[in-house]
């Protein structure tokens, strides 16, 4: 250690001798290097971080004005050393070390896939996405953006889908202050030179989401250049690759980043499926932390079986209206499914933005019962024409408080997630066999339910606490008597006492086991 | 030619000098060769067929008693020459030629994928599958098998799913006369020696199906060795591969063969997904004609995106109950989808065989509207306990006449197939935009319909003939006045006159254009 500090002082072999960073925080090294030529293209810079047991190699990036940075998200606490490599003398063989401190409260690390169809933070905390979309919220200037952050602080959302590149909608009244490339709008760009100010601003916003406990589902490409004038969707493969690598180098150390290759990929008619697979595999290779990767469709669904895809980011309003529909995508790909776009709550003349608040809340519950997840946004213009979908700023719909209510229920549900219970016929019950059930009646509005559950995991005589959930009124009403189940026929367990229900739509039941469930021996044979 | 005949006569360079075979028929060469050792393993034999423009290389096979055969399905009429290659002198460099005559009536060639989601014969005739399953019909002895063939001759089915290996069910009363390997049941097999008599019998049955115009969806592996005693599901990969190659060598020249790698693949717990993909790719390589290839699931759905899979062979009763569900698999994989198992019409204590005739017919119509296809079978035991699902023999259910009625409707529909029209919301209309529509009301039993169609392909003022279809009573009733459509709002065309409907379940409408449709310019923008 002393020797290394001396080396630093004497030989300037490092610019950062030793400081601290949180586990899963952003540790950053700043280096001075050449500013001539085109550093974005000419200079390669990587750094290798090691704690003795684990080595992580990350890309550095040029941040303008002769400044180079290397960012690292320590996956473990403790002492880490680093050394750089570059094709330029002033940037290579720089070394240093630092200590990663344990994560502060609220820092659970990056989110990954858990239990095949669900998500969890790196520290083991389950993550149940209740996401929203605000495409251009970070392109609208500080005044609006800070309002958006205030709104998010009390909103139910723990994931935001957002564009890297600006979109056309809303741009007349609130043009972006920064653009991603050197040059001037609309089309005078040097795609070989990034605009560091643009990315610093984006990072600030991503960091603020992180500090609010919100995942940033960053959309790298989109078709919303309505006049086809900027050219971000018609870059060459080399330009696309460089852009993606620059974004990864800058942002992968932010623990709350997810990579969404595109929004409505099939509406970007300048790229083929092979282009997307190529880009997805590059992200898989370049991102040393394996942040979640997905691609979101318009009308044509991508092949989500491809191995670089960690979870399904689905647009499908029709499938999200019913658990029996939504579950089929989960079965098709055996990955987590998020219906990131299931139509929007709104008052728009386009049919994709005409959901009532009730319909939005219903779709979230239906996708929950399907063992998958919903996604919110709204298209309800204010007096100025601002909409949450494009700008963020303020929520005006009726669904958000009900989504907050749902999120509380999800957070209290089993850590393994909510899985469909027996989708052999119409699916309306989900949970964890023998332990926890949500029974969701949707539009059927029954006045009572005769308790009947598929047998897996249940024990003869097992008792359950029952609660009636009004998904719209946001109430949880306990049923007085516990339910006691016994086997009936080949497939079911039943409890004798019918549960009275309020006879209106959007009612659910929550059943929580009071006794231990049966062992795996109770599982029926494969052929039912 | 004279020279070749002379060569044959003088040098015995060929066993078959010149004879005729139909295009898409089976041309066969018989050669005498070694019977010592194990010819199934020791002897390699291939033949190259050429018509000058096209060359096809096929495997030969050992048929016992020193007899070797090479079978070839001529893909074109005209003169074909052939030459063999073998690692045994008596079998190599045999040569000959023959003339493939034009196909006889009823011979349309093999079936392949057409229009992405549909099927057609090689001669261009559309093929609309209305299939059934009779797993072991060809293992039940000549008396029963001939009854089955008689039943099939007047049944609606143009595809049969059938096992190569015997299954346990029904075996006590009707044991197989032949077994696929040398040896004796239950477990005394030499997996390195096939039993030619077994395969000759199978071929006879496949050929009889062909002559009835029925495709044979041959299932190579299954989990129905209930006592786990025969060991056909626990062969080594080498044994599995040799078995598949032998089946291909014997049967690929039958134009009506489809390859189904497995029934309920996931219930065969001795093989992994990688094993199936391996086998699928081998079939793709070995079958020179590219017969259709699929794999059928139990509860866990296979990754149908794999490129060796030509179409989705789906078991999913729940998804087949509604077009809005069934269509999602089509969207997921963008291949043809056949719901080969959508539960069975029957009276069984298991819930997978309890469909009423009405439910079976409904599922066929629902999958049709989804732009996919249904699959029939029944579990209605006769006095002796025989069921169609396992033995064939006789049909006892109520659905077959209604499936014959549906098949007539499908055969009269556009050659391009029936595709969903706008699945943005609940899907109940399918057809070809601007030309032909089926509107299927399922269980909703309306008393009238206000004609409304999604705009694509429609022309202002375009007229349609309307007919009311009763899918159960099997009637088609013309609506007197033609419908005349005009645009309404952003998405629809409407006609003013409400159509009176009988207010019972299972009613459909068929709309056939009386005027030419609009051009592709009428297609709406991508964002609806």
């Amino acid at each position: 250690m002393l020797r290394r500090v001396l080396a630093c002082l004497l030989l300037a072999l490092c610019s950062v001798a030793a400081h601290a960073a949180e586990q899963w925080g952003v540790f950053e090294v700043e280096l001075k290097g050449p500013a001539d030529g085109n550093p974005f293209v000419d200079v390669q810079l990587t750094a290798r971080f090691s704690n003795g047991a684990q080595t992580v190699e990350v890309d550095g990036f040029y941040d303008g004005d002769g400044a180079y940075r290397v960012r690292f998200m320590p996956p473990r606490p403790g002492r880490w050393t680093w050394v750089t490599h570059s094709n330029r003398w002033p940037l290579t063989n720089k070394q240093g070390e630092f200590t990663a401190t344990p994560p502060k409260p609220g820092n659970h690390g990056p989110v990954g896939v858990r239990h095949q169809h669900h998500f969890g933070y790196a520290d083991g905390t389950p993550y149940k996405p209740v996401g929203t979309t605000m495409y251009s919220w970070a392109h609208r200037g500080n005044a609006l953006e800070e309002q958006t952050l205030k709104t998010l602080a009390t909103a139910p959302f723990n994931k935001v889908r957002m564009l890297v590149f600006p979109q056309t909608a809303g741009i007349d009244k609130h043009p972006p202050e920064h653009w991603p490339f050197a040059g001037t709008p609309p089309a005078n760009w040097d795609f070989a030179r990034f605009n560091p100010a643009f990315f610093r601003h984006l990072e600030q916003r991503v960091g603020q989401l992180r500090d609010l406990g919100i995942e940033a589902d960053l959309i790298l490409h989109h078709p919303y250049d309505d006049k086809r004038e900027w050219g971000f969707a018609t870059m060459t493969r080399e330009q696309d690759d460089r852009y993606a690598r620059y974004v990864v180098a800058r942002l992968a150390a932010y623990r709350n980043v997810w990579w969404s290759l595109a929004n409505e990929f099939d509406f970007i008619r300048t790229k083929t499926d092979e282009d997307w697979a190529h880009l997805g595999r590059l992200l898989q290779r370049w991102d040393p932390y394996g942040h979640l990767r997905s691609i979101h469709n318009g009308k044509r669904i991508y092949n989500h079986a491809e191995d670089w895809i960690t979870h399904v980011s689905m647009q499908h309003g029709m499938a999200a209206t019913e658990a029996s529909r939504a579950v089929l995508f989960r079965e098709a790909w055996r990955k987590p499914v998020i219906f990131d776009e299931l139509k929007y709550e709104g008052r728009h003349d386009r049919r994709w933005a005409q959901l009532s608040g009730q319909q939005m809340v219903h779709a979230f519950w239906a996708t929950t019962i399907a063992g998958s997840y919903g996604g919110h946004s709204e298209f309800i213009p204010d007096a100025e024409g601002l909409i949450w979908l494009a700008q963020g700023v303020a929520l005006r719909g009726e669904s958000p408080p009900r989504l907050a209510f749902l999120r509380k229920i999800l957070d209290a549900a089993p850590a393994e997630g909510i899985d469909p219970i027996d989708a052999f016929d119409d699916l309306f019950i989900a949970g964890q066999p023998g332990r926890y059930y949500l029974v969701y009646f949707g539009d059927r509005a029954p006045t009572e339910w005769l308790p009947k559950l598929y047998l897996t995991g249940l024990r003869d005589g097992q008792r359950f606490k029952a609660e009636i959930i009004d998904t719209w009124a946001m109430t949880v009403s306990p049923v007085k008597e516990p339910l006691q189940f016994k086997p009936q026929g080949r497939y079911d367990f039943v409890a004798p006492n019918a549960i009275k229900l309020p006879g209106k739509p959007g009612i659910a039941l929550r059943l929580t086991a009071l006794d231990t469930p049966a062992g795996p021996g109770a599982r029926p044979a494969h052929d039912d």
Side-chain angles (χ1 to χ4, degrees), chain A:
Chain A
M1 172 69 187
L2 178 63
R3 201 173 135 204
R4 185 154 297 170
V5 171
L6 281 177
C8 286
L9 292 172
L10 296 175
L11 302 169
L13 277 177
C14 54
S15 60
V16 183
H19 65 217
E22 207 176 335
Q23 182 185 3
W24 301 315
V26 179
F27 174 79
E28 185 176 290
V29 176
E30 185 184 335
L31 303 166
K32 284 292 168 189
D36 59 323
N38 181 356
F40 295 106
V41 172
D42 303 337
V43 180
Q44 281 98 57
L45 171 64
T46 61
R48 185 166 297 180
F49 288 79
S50 177
N51 67 353
Q54 186 179 2
T55 298
V56 181
E57 182 148 338
V58 305
D59 278 346
F61 63 90
Y62 184 59
D63 202 25
D65 300 320
Y68 291 79
R69 294 180 204 287
V70 174
R71 288 180 181 156
F72 174 61
M73 179 181 78
R76 297 272 180 285
R79 180 170 166 270
W80 289 84
T81 62
W82 55 267
V83 56
T84 66
H85 297 89
S86 175
N87 62 341
R88 292 291 184 273
W89 283 113
L91 296 169
T92 200
N93 210 33
K94 301 288 176 186
Q95 299 183 33
E97 62 174 66
F98 73 99
T99 298
T101 57
K104 297 197 187 99
N107 172 1
H108 300 290
V111 171
V113 172
R114 299 288 183 278
H115 308 292
Q116 183 145 6
H117 292 289
H118 302 286
F119 301 95
Y121 293 100
D123 75 349
T125 307
Y127 170 78
K128 318 281 179 83
V130 175
T132 190
T133 297
M134 305 179 299
Y135 289 132
S136 268
W137 82 275
H139 305 138
R140 288 297 174 260
N142 288 334
L144 291 186
E145 289 168 33
E146 275 152 28
Q147 284 187 51
T148 302
L149 288 165
K150 268 188 205 150
T151 302
L152 285 174
T154 57
F157 307 115
N158 58 12
K159 180 166 87 74
V160 164
R161 284 180 65 74
M162 57 189 283
L163 307 176
V164 176
F165 289 143
Q167 68 173 145
T168 311
I171 209 161
D172 292 338
K173 287 179 187 159
H174 302 279
E177 190 181 343
H178 310 288
W179 290 84
F181 297 100
T184 51
N188 178 34
W189 307 120
D190 181 352
F191 290 128
R193 289 177 188 268
F194 300 101
N195 175 11
F198 174 90
F199 287 95
R200 281 195 289 267
H201 180 76
L202 181 70
E203 286 151 16
Q204 180 197 2
R205 296 312 183 203
V206 168
Q208 288 167 312
L209 293 180
R210 175 196 60 203
D211 297 341
L212 289 169
I214 297 173
E215 302 296 298
D217 202 356
L218 279 181
I219 300 165
L220 297 182
H221 292 278
H222 67 72
Y224 313 126
D225 174 3
D226 294 349
K227 297 180 193 161
R228 307 275 189 270
E229 62 183 5
W230 302 328
F232 304 146
T234 53
M235 297 192 296
T236 64
R237 178 174 277 199
E238 185 190 357
Q239 290 163 344
D240 280 342
D241 292 356
R242 193 165 47 223
Y243 157 63
R245 191 159 194 169
Y246 191 70
V247 170
V248 170
R250 296 199 67 117
L251 280 146
Y254 288 74
R255 65 176 172 269
N256 62 323
V257 160
W258 300 20
W259 308 120
S260 177
L261 262 59
N263 218 67
E264 300 191 315
F265 82 93
D266 47 321
F267 297 164
I268 303 175
R269 299 191 182 164
T270 50
K271 296 192 200 307
T272 65
D273 287 12
E274 205 284 321
D275 289 329
W276 296 117
H278 164 82
L279 187 55
R281 296 206 177 93
L282 287 182
L283 284 172
Q284 187 173 24
R285 192 195 313 161
W286 288 336
D287 172 3
Y289 314 109
H291 289 291
L292 292 163
R293 292 175 301 272
S294 70
I295 183 165
H296 167 278
N297 62 288
K299 285 193 170 174
R300 187 165 71 80
I301 295 174
Y302 196 84
N303 172 17
H304 293 291
E306 287 183 1
D307 60 5
W308 62 268
I309 297 180
T310 55
H311 67 284
V312 175
S313 174
M314 176 62 62
Q315 171 175 186
H316 212 297
M318 184 272 271
T321 60
E322 196 191 48
S324 297
R325 296 176 188 174
V327 73
L328 302 179
F329 287 140
R330 189 181 127 125
E331 294 184 13
W333 295 298
R334 294 180 260 127
K335 294 182 180 181
V337 178
I338 305 179
F339 287 85
D340 276 308
E341 194 170 340
L342 46 69
K343 300 181 184 172
Y344 303 125
E345 183 174 357
R347 297 189 285 270
H348 190 30
D349 66 336
R350 306 296 178 92
R351 59 185 182 170
W352 42 263
Q354 300 177 341
L355 290 188
S356 66
Q358 282 88 344
Q359 287 171 319
M360 172 62 75
V361 173
H362 168 70
F364 264 81
W365 276 85
T367 53
T368 297
I369 299 300
S372 53
Y373 298 93
H376 162 275
S377 196
E378 63 175 43
F379 198 115
I380 306 174
D382 72 356
E384 201 202 333
L386 295 181
I387 53 167
W388 180 261
L389 173 64
Q391 339 294 346
V393 186
L395 287 160
R396 281 171 287 275
E398 294 184 291
S399 64
R402 282 82 187 186
L403 302 182
F405 176 74
L406 169 62
R407 190 175 156 193
K408 272 197 290 186
I409 293 187
L410 295 178
D411 286 342
E416 297 88 340
I418 292 172
D419 290 318
I421 303 286
D422 184 40
F424 197 82
D425 291 302
D426 286 0
L427 172 65
F428 66 106
I429 304 180
Q432 287 296 323
R435 295 166 47 203
Y436 173 97
Y437 297 88
L438 284 179
V439 185
Y440 176 61
F441 300 102
D443 289 337
R444 277 177 295 161
T447 54
E448 65 169 29
W449 185 60
L450 296 162
K452 187 162 86 167
L453 297 171
Y454 188 66
L455 56 77
T456 305
L458 292 169
R459 184 193 292 282
D460 194 354
Q462 197 184 355
R463 291 167 315 134
F464 280 78
K465 177 175 78 169
E467 295 159 297
I468 298 169
I469 294 171
D470 186 323
T471 64
W472 188 254
M474 298 176 280
T475 57
V476 178
S477 314
V479 173
K480 261 192 191 147
E481 293 295 313
L483 307 178
Q484 188 161 25
F485 284 87
K486 57 178 196 211
Q488 177 185 279
R490 177 180 282 275
Y491 300 108
D492 300 311
F493 273 59
V494 296
N497 32 342
I499 298 179
K500 297 287 167 209
L501 296 172
K504 60 181 196 175
I507 299 299
L509 280 170
R510 177 166 63 186
L511 308 183
T512 312
L514 297 169
D515 306 312
T516 52
R523 194 168 277 277
H526 64 64
D527 67 348
D528 276 1

